Structure formats: C-alpha cells, structure tokens
C-alpha cells in the first residue's frame, strides 16, 4: 500500500485588503519528504492524525510525504502561492505513481486571486492525474466552503467536529482510517453532501454549549449507534465574498439511501437552528465599564473578533486600545497588534527605553493607528509553543516582538500575529492574563478552549474590522443576498451530491 500525504491550508478573508503572499506563507515554513515526518509526526495537527492512523492501522504502508504548506489566515492568497504548491506537488505525485491513496489536509476556505475554490480545483487536478482507482481523502476545517467540485473529485471528506477546534488529530485520523479501509478493499462509505443556504458569524456558535453543540452531539449519537459512519456540519467561513456560498452537511454511511436520507435530515436540522447562530455585541465602552466595576471578577475578556487574524483580518487595529486609553486608563489592560515598525524600533532602542511609537494600521489602511510615548518593557523573538488545549505543543512564530507599556496598557507588538486563541500569545511574552483587569483577545471562538477557565467574564464587543460579526455591515459585492441572514427561505429544497465511488 502506497499513500501520499500533503497539506495546503489557509483560511481566507475577502475583506482584508492585503493579499497573502508566498513570503507570508513561508513564515510558517514549507516542508516535503522526511522533513514532514520530523515536523508533524506525533504533533497535534491533521497530518499528525494521518500518521497516527497509518501507524496503527497499516504500519507496513509506504508513506510518501508530499509538500506541506500552511499559513495563518489572511487576505486572499496570491495565485503564485497555489501555483508554487502545485509545481512541487504534481511532480511528487508523478514520481510516486501508482498510488493507492492521497490524503490531503486543507482548510477549505481558501481563496486565491484566480480561484474561489482552490481546494476543489487542486483536488480536480489530482483526480485528473491519478484516475479513478486512487482513494482521495480530504481533511478540512469545520469552516470550509465545500463546493460540488471537491465533492465530485474526492472519495472521502470530513471536518473537525469541535469549535473551538481541539480535534485536529482526530479529524486526520478519521479521514485516514476511512481512506485506509477503502484502499484495503474493506469498504468505501457512500458520502452525501447537502448545501445549506446560510452563513453565520463565527463568534455566534460553538460546540461547548447551545444549538451547535446539540446538533454535533446528535450526529455523534447517530455515529455511535451505527446508523451512519461519519458526518460533518460545515459552518462556512462567513468572510468569503463568493458567488455561490453555502454552509453544508456531509454524511458518510454504508449505502446511498442511508447517506442521502440522513444528509437531508441533518441539513434540515442544521438550517432550523439558523436563528440560534446569531449574537449580540456589546459596545466597547460597556466592556470597559464592566472591567471598572470592582465587583466584577477579573480578567474581563474583551473579544475583538473583527480584528482576528485567525479569521483573516489584519490584526493591526488599535481602535479598541484607543478607546481603552480614553475611557479606561485606570485599568491594567493587555492587548496585541501587528505593528512590525514599532517592534523594530523597540528592538533598536532596547529594554527600558522610552520613545514615541506609532502603532497600528500596518496593513489595513482602514485600521486605527495611534502615536503615544511608550516604554519598552521586554523584547522577544516571537517563537512560542501553544499551551492548548487546541494545538498544544505546536510552535508559533510571530516575528520580532516587543511589549510596550503606555501607562497601564501593555501592548504586544509583533510582525505576524498567530495562535490568537492561545494564552501563550501573552504568557510567552511576560503577560499573565489573570493578573490583568482587561484582556483584549483577537479571536472569534478558538480562545474559549483556554480562556473560559481563566476569565472573570467574556464580552463579545462590537468592533470594526474585516472579520466583523455584523455580516450585513460587510461590503459583500459577489455574495448573493438570497441566503440567511439576508433572506429566510422557510423550506429550502435539498440537493444531494455524492462523493466519487471507486
Ligand atoms: Zn475553523
């Protein structure tokens, strides 16, 4: 048995005006061959899950490690990034043929300057090359945009079942297990896909509580009972300006009738919860007032999801910091911002120096910047390991980093923010969140996995940015306003498409 594994993973945001370049992608590194095993075997990622399944289920299989490229979320990727990936991958496939399987890890919500659905196009090109007999199994994020193209060219496709995402390894394992079983000739489940006409802000749901947890648990119960083999609920990343957007449901089952019937029932159930996937946002001033209330347990977490780099925003907005300096300068506050120039100046001046710094709007010209006298509190290389639970132990690199103090406000200034939901983004830079009154977290939901344990209260704030939760306020130009929340179709017609059979 011979299997090639590969990864091409980024989440795009159409409203970030700065395209993601190959240079930006390479911040996270690019691997192939044995370097992939060295870097990802045993790690908390989908590729780690592929390795785990192969080790446990088919230890004699020959594994060819194709190119692995992943990148922090950001603006639409330059086409040169996809072209580069394919220029590495396609010869690797040629050289490895014949292959029994290709296991692909992707996000699913990538856009390039030429393709709305690069993962679909890549899968189509791989299929064209390898023919019908090779099993193509795809692991995706729960926020993927799933297209008919990827469904019709893959045999197996599954997403994370948790949000905050804490099941990267498990998802890679689920995908690889079905792939290995299909290759071994035991079985290939029939996978049915049903698009659901809605999108929802990512901060409006999670699998820790509420309607979304309930439907995931329902799917898990169906799986546990043997009624279905596996499933995914896709909440499409809502900051993609696409002409045919959709959330969707995938069900893998033993036969076509079962897969189809359950995919429709789950799509119906998912869509019936659409009004639950909304949230009310607090004005920043109200969150500041809450942090000033002595009876309020601390820290107060101010969620600035609109500027979340995890959701592809620029992470360079000081709008919230400015308001805190105006209305809450008595508060011990921590925030973070992409401000490479400020970080560079801090490194030149050294620890303890005081100078005037211009901070913010380093990428998105619509972001707020501010100029203030600040003291350089500490300097860092920006390399840290996540504490998790999501991605525990994974290394993040945020470039040259410094902590600047403006009165009681501590600002982490860095080059490329990453790992936004993880407290180590602060802790690794000398900022212990539990010792602060107010902590700004630039993430939608991922942070809850760690922060719910240490927060006095979590406040979703109404802030400006490319990842705003107020979807109707965003400048969509291609997205048809015929889906929820723009239009509410009480009984949509469900269209079923099946993945490829062998
Ligand atoms: Zn996601």
């Amino acid at each position: 048995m011979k299997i090639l594994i590969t990864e091409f993973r980024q989440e795009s945001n159409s409203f970030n005006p700065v395209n993601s370049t190959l240079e930006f992608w390479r911040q996270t590194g690019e691997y192939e061959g044995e370097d992939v095993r060295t870097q990802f075997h045993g790690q908390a990622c989908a590729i780690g899950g592929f390795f785990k399944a192969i080790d446990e289920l088919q230890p004699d299989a020959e594994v060819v490690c194709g190119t692995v490229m992943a990148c922090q979320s950001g603006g639409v990727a330059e086409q040169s990034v996809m072209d580069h990936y394919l220029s590495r991958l396609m010869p690797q496939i040629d050289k490895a043929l014949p292959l029994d399987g290709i296991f692909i890890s992707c996000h699913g919500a990538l856009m390039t300057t030429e393709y709305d659905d690069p993962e679909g196009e890549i899968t189509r090109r791989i299929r064209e090359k390898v023919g019908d007999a090779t099993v193509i199994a795809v692991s995706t994020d729960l926020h993927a945009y799933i297209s008919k193209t990827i469904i019709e060219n893959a045999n197996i496709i599954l997403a994370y079942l948790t949000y905050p995402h804490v099941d990267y390894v498990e998802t890679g394992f689920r995908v690889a297990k079905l792939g290995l079983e299909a290759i071994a000739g035991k079985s290939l489940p029939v996978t049915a896909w049903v698009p659901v006409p809605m999108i929802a802000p990512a901060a409006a749901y999670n699998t820790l509580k509420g309607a979304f947890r309930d439907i995931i648990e329902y799917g898990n119960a169906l799986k546990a009972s043997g009624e279905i083999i596996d499933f995914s609920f896709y909440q499409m990343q809502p900051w993609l300006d696409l002409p045919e957007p959709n959330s969707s449901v995938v069900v893998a089952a033993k036969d076509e009738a079962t897969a189809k019937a359950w995919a429709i029932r789950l799509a119906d159930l998912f869509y019936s919860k659409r009004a639950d996937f909304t949230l009310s946002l607090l004005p920043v001033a109200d969150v500041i007032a809450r942090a000033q209330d002595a009876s309020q347990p601390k820290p107060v977490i101010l969620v600035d999801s609109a500027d979340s780099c995890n959701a592809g925003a620029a992470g360079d907005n000081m709008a919230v910091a400015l308001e805190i300096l105006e209305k809450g300068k008595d508060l011990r506050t921590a925030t973070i911002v992409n401000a490479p120039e400020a970080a560079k100046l801090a490194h030149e001046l050294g620890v303890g120096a005081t100078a005037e710094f211009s901070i913010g709007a380093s990428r998105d010209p619509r972001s707020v910047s501010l100029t203030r006298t600040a003291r350089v509190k500490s300097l860092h290389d920006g390399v840290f390991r996540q504490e998790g639970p999501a991605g525990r132990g994974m290394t993040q690199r945020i470039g040259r980093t410094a902590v600047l103090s403006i009165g009681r406000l501590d600002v982490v200034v860095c080059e490329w923010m990453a790992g936004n939901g993880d407290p180590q983004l602060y802790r690794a830079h000398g900022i212990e969140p539990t010792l602060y009154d107010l902590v700004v977290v630039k993430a939608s939901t991922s942070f809850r996995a760690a922060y719910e344990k240490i927060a006095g209260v979590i406040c979703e704030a109404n802030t400006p940015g490319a990842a705003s939760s107020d979807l109707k306020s965003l400048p969509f130009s291609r997205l048809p306003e015929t889906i929820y929340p723009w239009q509410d179709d009480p009984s949509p017609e469900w269209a079923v498409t099946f993945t490829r059979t062998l």
Side-chain angles (χ1 to χ4, degrees), residues 11 107 141-144 160 163 165:
E11 179 178 34
H107 183 285
D141 193 280
L142 177 152
H143 294 104
Y160 310 146
Y163 187 44
H165 308 314

mmCIF file with all atom_site columns, all heavy atoms in Angstrom, residues 11 107 141-144 160 163 165, ligand 1:
data_model
loop_
_atom_site.group_PDB
_atom_site.id
_atom_site.type_symbol
_atom_site.label_atom_id
_atom_site.label_alt_id
_atom_site.label_comp_id
_atom_site.label_asym_id
_atom_site.label_entity_id
_atom_site.label_seq_id
_atom_site.pdbx_PDB_ins_code
_atom_site.Cartn_x
_atom_site.Cartn_y
_atom_site.Cartn_z
_atom_site.occupancy
_atom_site.B_iso_or_equiv
_atom_site.pdbx_formal_charge
_atom_site.auth_seq_id
_atom_site.auth_comp_id
_atom_site.auth_asym_id
_atom_site.auth_atom_id
_atom_site.pdbx_PDB_model_num
ATOM   1  N  N   . GLU A 1 11  ? -6.995  29.914 5.633  1.00 0.00 ? 11  GLU A N   1
ATOM   2  C  CA  . GLU A 1 11  ? -8.365  30.429 5.631  1.00 0.00 ? 11  GLU A CA  1
ATOM   3  C  C   . GLU A 1 11  ? -8.299  31.867 5.137  1.00 0.00 ? 11  GLU A C   1
ATOM   4  O  O   . GLU A 1 11  ? -7.561  32.670 5.690  1.00 0.00 ? 11  GLU A O   1
ATOM   5  C  CB  . GLU A 1 11  ? -8.907  30.371 7.066  1.00 0.00 ? 11  GLU A CB  1
ATOM   6  C  CG  . GLU A 1 11  ? -10.309 30.892 7.238  1.00 0.00 ? 11  GLU A CG  1
ATOM   7  C  CD  . GLU A 1 11  ? -10.771 30.752 8.690  1.00 0.00 ? 11  GLU A CD  1
ATOM   8  O  OE1 . GLU A 1 11  ? -9.930  30.879 9.613  1.00 0.00 ? 11  GLU A OE1 1
ATOM   9  O  OE2 . GLU A 1 11  ? -11.957 30.501 8.909  1.00 0.00 ? 11  GLU A OE2 1
ATOM   10 N  N   . HIS A 1 107 ? -7.746  23.627 4.618  1.00 0.00 ? 107 HIS A N   1
ATOM   11 C  CA  . HIS A 1 107 ? -8.741  24.324 5.434  1.00 0.00 ? 107 HIS A CA  1
ATOM   12 C  C   . HIS A 1 107 ? -10.105 24.198 4.769  1.00 0.00 ? 107 HIS A C   1
ATOM   13 O  O   . HIS A 1 107 ? -11.073 23.776 5.368  1.00 0.00 ? 107 HIS A O   1
ATOM   14 C  CB  . HIS A 1 107 ? -8.366  25.805 5.616  1.00 0.00 ? 107 HIS A CB  1
ATOM   15 C  CG  . HIS A 1 107 ? -9.326  26.511 6.511  1.00 0.00 ? 107 HIS A CG  1
ATOM   16 N  ND1 . HIS A 1 107 ? -10.588 26.871 6.097  1.00 0.00 ? 107 HIS A ND1 1
ATOM   17 C  CD2 . HIS A 1 107 ? -9.238  26.878 7.814  1.00 0.00 ? 107 HIS A CD2 1
ATOM   18 C  CE1 . HIS A 1 107 ? -11.230 27.443 7.103  1.00 0.00 ? 107 HIS A CE1 1
ATOM   19 N  NE2 . HIS A 1 107 ? -10.440 27.455 8.144  1.00 0.00 ? 107 HIS A NE2 1
ATOM   20 N  N   . ASP A 1 141 ? -11.214 21.965 7.733  1.00 0.00 ? 141 ASP A N   1
ATOM   21 C  CA  . ASP A 1 141 ? -11.715 22.724 8.877  1.00 0.00 ? 141 ASP A CA  1
ATOM   22 C  C   . ASP A 1 141 ? -13.248 22.676 8.863  1.00 0.00 ? 141 ASP A C   1
ATOM   23 O  O   . ASP A 1 141 ? -13.863 22.459 7.809  1.00 0.00 ? 141 ASP A O   1
ATOM   24 C  CB  . ASP A 1 141 ? -11.247 24.174 8.748  1.00 0.00 ? 141 ASP A CB  1
ATOM   25 C  CG  . ASP A 1 141 ? -11.424 24.988 10.011 1.00 0.00 ? 141 ASP A CG  1
ATOM   26 O  OD1 . ASP A 1 141 ? -12.552 25.446 10.289 1.00 0.00 ? 141 ASP A OD1 1
ATOM   27 O  OD2 . ASP A 1 141 ? -10.431 25.185 10.726 1.00 0.00 ? 141 ASP A OD2 1
ATOM   28 N  N   . LEU A 1 142 ? -13.838 22.910 10.016 1.00 0.00 ? 142 LEU A N   1
ATOM   29 C  CA  . LEU A 1 142 ? -15.302 22.981 10.123 1.00 0.00 ? 142 LEU A CA  1
ATOM   30 C  C   . LEU A 1 142 ? -15.854 24.216 9.392  1.00 0.00 ? 142 LEU A C   1
ATOM   31 O  O   . LEU A 1 142 ? -17.026 24.269 9.041  1.00 0.00 ? 142 LEU A O   1
ATOM   32 C  CB  . LEU A 1 142 ? -15.630 23.027 11.614 1.00 0.00 ? 142 LEU A CB  1
ATOM   33 C  CG  . LEU A 1 142 ? -17.013 23.168 12.180 1.00 0.00 ? 142 LEU A CG  1
ATOM   34 C  CD1 . LEU A 1 142 ? -17.037 22.501 13.565 1.00 0.00 ? 142 LEU A CD1 1
ATOM   35 C  CD2 . LEU A 1 142 ? -17.448 24.609 12.339 1.00 0.00 ? 142 LEU A CD2 1
ATOM   36 N  N   . HIS A 1 143 ? -14.977 25.198 9.128  1.00 0.00 ? 143 HIS A N   1
ATOM   37 C  CA  . HIS A 1 143 ? -15.407 26.433 8.464  1.00 0.00 ? 143 HIS A CA  1
ATOM   38 C  C   . HIS A 1 143 ? -15.153 26.428 6.957  1.00 0.00 ? 143 HIS A C   1
ATOM   39 O  O   . HIS A 1 143 ? -15.119 27.479 6.329  1.00 0.00 ? 143 HIS A O   1
ATOM   40 C  CB  . HIS A 1 143 ? -14.681 27.624 9.105  1.00 0.00 ? 143 HIS A CB  1
ATOM   41 C  CG  . HIS A 1 143 ? -15.074 27.835 10.528 1.00 0.00 ? 143 HIS A CG  1
ATOM   42 N  ND1 . HIS A 1 143 ? -14.277 27.492 11.589 1.00 0.00 ? 143 HIS A ND1 1
ATOM   43 C  CD2 . HIS A 1 143 ? -16.220 28.303 11.054 1.00 0.00 ? 143 HIS A CD2 1
ATOM   44 C  CE1 . HIS A 1 143 ? -14.914 27.763 12.723 1.00 0.00 ? 143 HIS A CE1 1
ATOM   45 N  NE2 . HIS A 1 143 ? -16.094 28.252 12.431 1.00 0.00 ? 143 HIS A NE2 1
ATOM   46 N  N   . ALA A 1 144 ? -14.960 25.244 6.403  1.00 0.00 ? 144 ALA A N   1
ATOM   47 C  CA  . ALA A 1 144 ? -14.664 25.153 4.973  1.00 0.00 ? 144 ALA A CA  1
ATOM   48 C  C   . ALA A 1 144 ? -15.865 25.569 4.118  1.00 0.00 ? 144 ALA A C   1
ATOM   49 O  O   . ALA A 1 144 ? -17.016 25.387 4.502  1.00 0.00 ? 144 ALA A O   1
ATOM   50 C  CB  . ALA A 1 144 ? -14.269 23.724 4.616  1.00 0.00 ? 144 ALA A CB  1
ATOM   51 N  N   . TYR A 1 160 ? -13.466 18.918 11.154 1.00 0.00 ? 160 TYR A N   1
ATOM   52 C  CA  . TYR A 1 160 ? -13.432 18.933 12.615 1.00 0.00 ? 160 TYR A CA  1
ATOM   53 C  C   . TYR A 1 160 ? -14.872 18.882 13.131 1.00 0.00 ? 160 TYR A C   1
ATOM   54 O  O   . TYR A 1 160 ? -15.792 19.422 12.503 1.00 0.00 ? 160 TYR A O   1
ATOM   55 C  CB  . TYR A 1 160 ? -12.821 20.231 13.160 1.00 0.00 ? 160 TYR A CB  1
ATOM   56 C  CG  . TYR A 1 160 ? -11.502 20.644 12.575 1.00 0.00 ? 160 TYR A CG  1
ATOM   57 C  CD1 . TYR A 1 160 ? -11.203 21.998 12.408 1.00 0.00 ? 160 TYR A CD1 1
ATOM   58 C  CD2 . TYR A 1 160 ? -10.540 19.713 12.218 1.00 0.00 ? 160 TYR A CD2 1
ATOM   59 C  CE1 . TYR A 1 160 ? -9.993  22.411 11.898 1.00 0.00 ? 160 TYR A CE1 1
ATOM   60 C  CE2 . TYR A 1 160 ? -9.323  20.120 11.700 1.00 0.00 ? 160 TYR A CE2 1
ATOM   61 C  CZ  . TYR A 1 160 ? -9.060  21.467 11.532 1.00 0.00 ? 160 TYR A CZ  1
ATOM   62 O  OH  . TYR A 1 160 ? -7.861  21.887 11.011 1.00 0.00 ? 160 TYR A OH  1
ATOM   63 N  N   . TYR A 1 163 ? -15.585 23.150 17.938 1.00 0.00 ? 163 TYR A N   1
ATOM   64 C  CA  . TYR A 1 163 ? -15.277 24.569 17.778 1.00 0.00 ? 163 TYR A CA  1
ATOM   65 C  C   . TYR A 1 163 ? -15.443 25.228 19.129 1.00 0.00 ? 163 TYR A C   1
ATOM   66 O  O   . TYR A 1 163 ? -16.575 25.297 19.593 1.00 0.00 ? 163 TYR A O   1
ATOM   67 C  CB  . TYR A 1 163 ? -16.189 25.207 16.735 1.00 0.00 ? 163 TYR A CB  1
ATOM   68 C  CG  . TYR A 1 163 ? -15.816 26.637 16.400 1.00 0.00 ? 163 TYR A CG  1
ATOM   69 C  CD1 . TYR A 1 163 ? -14.487 26.992 16.203 1.00 0.00 ? 163 TYR A CD1 1
ATOM   70 C  CD2 . TYR A 1 163 ? -16.782 27.637 16.300 1.00 0.00 ? 163 TYR A CD2 1
ATOM   71 C  CE1 . TYR A 1 163 ? -14.140 28.300 15.903 1.00 0.00 ? 163 TYR A CE1 1
ATOM   72 C  CE2 . TYR A 1 163 ? -16.438 28.945 15.990 1.00 0.00 ? 163 TYR A CE2 1
ATOM   73 C  CZ  . TYR A 1 163 ? -15.123 29.271 15.797 1.00 0.00 ? 163 TYR A CZ  1
ATOM   74 O  OH  . TYR A 1 163 ? -14.769 30.554 15.505 1.00 0.00 ? 163 TYR A OH  1
ATOM   75 N  N   . HIS A 1 165 ? -11.665 24.477 17.847 1.00 0.00 ? 165 HIS A N   1
ATOM   76 C  CA  . HIS A 1 165 ? -11.150 23.252 17.238 1.00 0.00 ? 165 HIS A CA  1
ATOM   77 C  C   . HIS A 1 165 ? -10.109 22.606 18.148 1.00 0.00 ? 165 HIS A C   1
ATOM   78 O  O   . HIS A 1 165 ? -9.028  23.162 18.337 1.00 0.00 ? 165 HIS A O   1
ATOM   79 C  CB  . HIS A 1 165 ? -10.491 23.561 15.893 1.00 0.00 ? 165 HIS A CB  1
ATOM   80 C  CG  . HIS A 1 165 ? -11.353 24.347 14.955 1.00 0.00 ? 165 HIS A CG  1
ATOM   81 N  ND1 . HIS A 1 165 ? -12.667 24.046 14.713 1.00 0.00 ? 165 HIS A ND1 1
ATOM   82 C  CD2 . HIS A 1 165 ? -11.067 25.423 14.172 1.00 0.00 ? 165 HIS A CD2 1
ATOM   83 C  CE1 . HIS A 1 165 ? -13.152 24.903 13.823 1.00 0.00 ? 165 HIS A CE1 1
ATOM   84 N  NE2 . HIS A 1 165 ? -12.208 25.753 13.485 1.00 0.00 ? 165 HIS A NE2 1
HETATM 85 ZN ZN1 . LIG B 2 .   ? -12.243 26.957 11.718 1.00 0.00 ? 1   LIG B ZN1 1
#
